[in-house]
Amino acid sequence: MNFDYYQTGIKEATFSVEDDQIRVRKNDGISDWQTVSGEVEADYTERLHFDLVKAIHELIDNPEVVAGIRTGVTFHTSTGAIYQPTTDEHLWIQREKKPAINLVVAAGKVVGLQVAVRNMGTVIIRPGFEKDTVLAEWQEQGMLVTDPFEIQPHYTKMVSMRDGVKLATEIFMPADGQAKHSVILGRTPYGRQLFYKDYERFVQRGFVVVLQDVRGRNDSEGDWLPMYYEREDGQDTVEWIAKQDWSNQKVGMIGGSYGGYVQWAAASSGTPYLKALVSIVTAGGPFNDTIYKNGAPMAGSLAWFFSTSERKFHPEKMLRNDWDELMKIRPLSMILKLVWDMKFRDFPSS
């Protein structure tokens, strides 16, 4: 039994489910079948944000699930999952679960899974049932891709800003035979490498993707001063892109949180080459709802400061068990310095 795997309207691979074995073949025209286990399974779990193997075994051709669907009302499984019918006869939604692994149903059987996580939509569907999923809307808009472009080997450029500081910038290009492309830009303080897989879908559609470490972060030069340089650095980066041989001078940006803030900062420069923003769960300015709230410092920002206190991002440093003690330090601006000076002796990380 085969299932095609789509992410954000792009056919990425096909899964073969036979008894207890699941295999996968990438949709690149050259890959062979691989067993979904070990590193392969871990890679798909990371991409999908749920355990694919477990989901398929628990939901596809599971008599308990089939019996629940045929009741036509909300049902619970023995594993504790809750499924509820919708006004769409082909879609049953999972309740009280994040991410929700929703069921695509036809003739009383599960024919696929549909999952939304942040800005990524995943559909795993038996061939012939695509019309019963969100893929029908991608098709209607002319955006369903079943033969994505291959991605050329990416490379790093150190791009100079107006003051000579160089920012680490990764360039991904599609193998589409075109000389010039529209460009998708992402700028981040968390390490551009974390976002390689998330942005592949744009290259597969024919865009050039540019991912950049902001000033003072990861592999970029300069000093890290949150939010301070993003207007000028954003403008300089967009205008550098516009000068490249592979650019058609049309740049769009996408990203969330700090990656959303940098878009508005770049747009405020008035650069004519920035044509579109997709700003998700955007961080506000430093004086209204990020570092300060109506003029008062936000204690919650401290966790973020710890995670970005070194050039590389360390999210584990946001997990502490001594916040009450830390908040007794005055002035608050001394917290990071005092904790650093004491080498965490009196304030151990959890």
Side-chain angles (χ1 to χ4, degrees):
M1 185 186 308
N2 287 350
F3 293 84
D4 289 333
Y5 158 50
Y6 291 81
Q7 270 206 332
T8 58
I10 301 173
K11 183 179 176 181
E12 298 281 3
T14 297
F15 292 104
S16 172
V17 181
E18 299 294 339
D19 298 324
D20 290 333
Q21 186 182 61
I22 300 176
R23 298 185 302 156
V24 65
R25 183 173 61 191
K26 294 181 179 179
N27 185 31
D28 57 12
I30 57 174
S31 295
D32 293 326
W33 288 98
Q34 292 180 292
T35 300
V36 182
S37 61
E39 293 184 3
V40 176
E41 182 177 357
D43 180 63
Y44 277 100
T45 298
E46 179 184 356
R47 285 173 177 264
L48 301 174
H49 301 281
F50 67 91
D51 188 329
L52 172 70
V53 172
K54 180 180 178 182
I56 287 178
H57 286 319
E58 287 186 356
L59 300 172
I60 304 298
D61 280 349
N62 183 330
E64 180 186 28
V65 173
V66 171
I69 290 170
R70 288 177 177 171
T71 66
V73 297
T74 300
F75 68 92
H76 297 65
T77 70
S78 58
T79 60
I82 305 172
Y83 290 95
Q84 179 180 325
T86 67
T87 54
D88 181 345
E89 63 177 330
H90 298 292
L91 182 65
W92 284 66
I93 56 175
Q94 187 176 29
R95 310 299 295 179
E96 301 179 18
K97 181 71 174 179
K98 185 178 180 180
I101 304 175
N102 301 319
L103 309 178
V104 182
V105 175
K109 292 186 177 182
V110 178
V111 294
L113 310 175
Q114 189 165 293
V115 185
V117 179
R118 291 175 64 90
N119 61 339
M120 301 289 284
T122 298
V123 175
I124 298 171
I125 190 71
R126 291 188 62 181
F129 292 95
E130 293 85 356
K131 66 183 185 303
D132 298 329
T133 74
V134 71
L135 296 176
E137 297 183 31
W138 287 93
Q139 180 72 62
E140 183 179 344
Q141 298 301 320
M143 295 181 66
L144 189 67
V145 176
T146 56
D147 188 19
F149 293 120
E150 293 184 24
I151 302 173
Q152 298 184 38
H154 55 91
Y155 59 95
T156 306
K157 294 281 290 185
M158 296 300 293
V159 177
S160 293
M161 301 293 102
R162 64 189 65 183
D163 60 356
V165 170
K166 296 179 179 179
L167 306 188
T169 306
E170 204 76 12
I171 294 93
F172 299 78
M173 302 188 68
D176 61 355
Q178 300 298 312
K180 294 190 179 289
H181 302 79
S182 296
V183 180
I184 304 294
L185 169 64
R187 305 186 65 243
T188 179
Y190 305 118
R192 67 193 188 284
Q193 295 88 346
L194 291 177
F195 300 93
Y196 286 178
K197 292 179 181 179
D198 286 347
Y199 281 74
E200 283 181 352
R201 64 190 189 275
F202 299 115
V203 191
Q204 291 173 313
R205 289 183 177 275
F207 292 91
V208 166
V209 162
V210 176
L211 295 178
Q212 185 180 74
D213 296 324
V214 301
R215 181 180 295 240
R217 301 296 302 154
N218 199 38
D219 298 323
S220 285
E221 298 175 353
D223 297 323
W224 167 233
L225 188 57
M227 299 184 168
Y228 186 80
Y229 295 102
E230 308 308 355
R231 183 177 188 268
E232 292 78 10
D233 287 354
Q235 178 183 11
D236 290 352
T237 301
V238 169
E239 296 187 355
W240 174 84
I241 290 171
K243 294 176 183 177
Q244 304 311 299
D245 292 341
W246 37 258
S247 169
N248 65 9
Q249 300 189 336
K250 296 179 181 179
V251 181
M253 297 182 71
I254 187 170
S257 191
Y258 198 98
Y261 170 79
V262 295
Q263 299 176 50
W264 294 104
S268 72
S269 73
T271 176
Y273 306 110
L274 185 55
K275 305 297 186 181
L277 310 181
V278 180
S279 184
I280 307 164
V281 292
T282 302
F287 300 108
N288 51 17
D289 65 351
T290 300
I291 299 172
Y292 293 88
K293 187 73 171 180
N294 297 327
M298 294 178 62
S301 296
L302 279 175
W304 186 73
F305 289 140
F306 278 112
S307 70
T308 58
S309 59
E310 299 178 33
R311 185 168 289 270
K312 302 289 185 179
F313 179 51
H314 291 284
E316 70 278 3
K317 291 188 176 182
M318 290 190 284
L319 304 176
R320 304 182 63 89
N321 57 12
D322 58 352
W323 293 110
D324 289 343
E325 293 301 315
L326 285 174
M327 292 308 298
K328 292 177 182 178
I329 296 174
R330 292 292 185 275
L332 293 178
S333 60
M334 294 298 294
I335 289 178
L336 289 174
K337 182 180 186 305
L338 290 176
V339 171
W340 179 262
D341 288 345
M342 289 183 285
K343 300 185 186 300
F344 302 95
R345 183 182 65 242
D346 296 327
F347 303 107
S349 297
S350 60

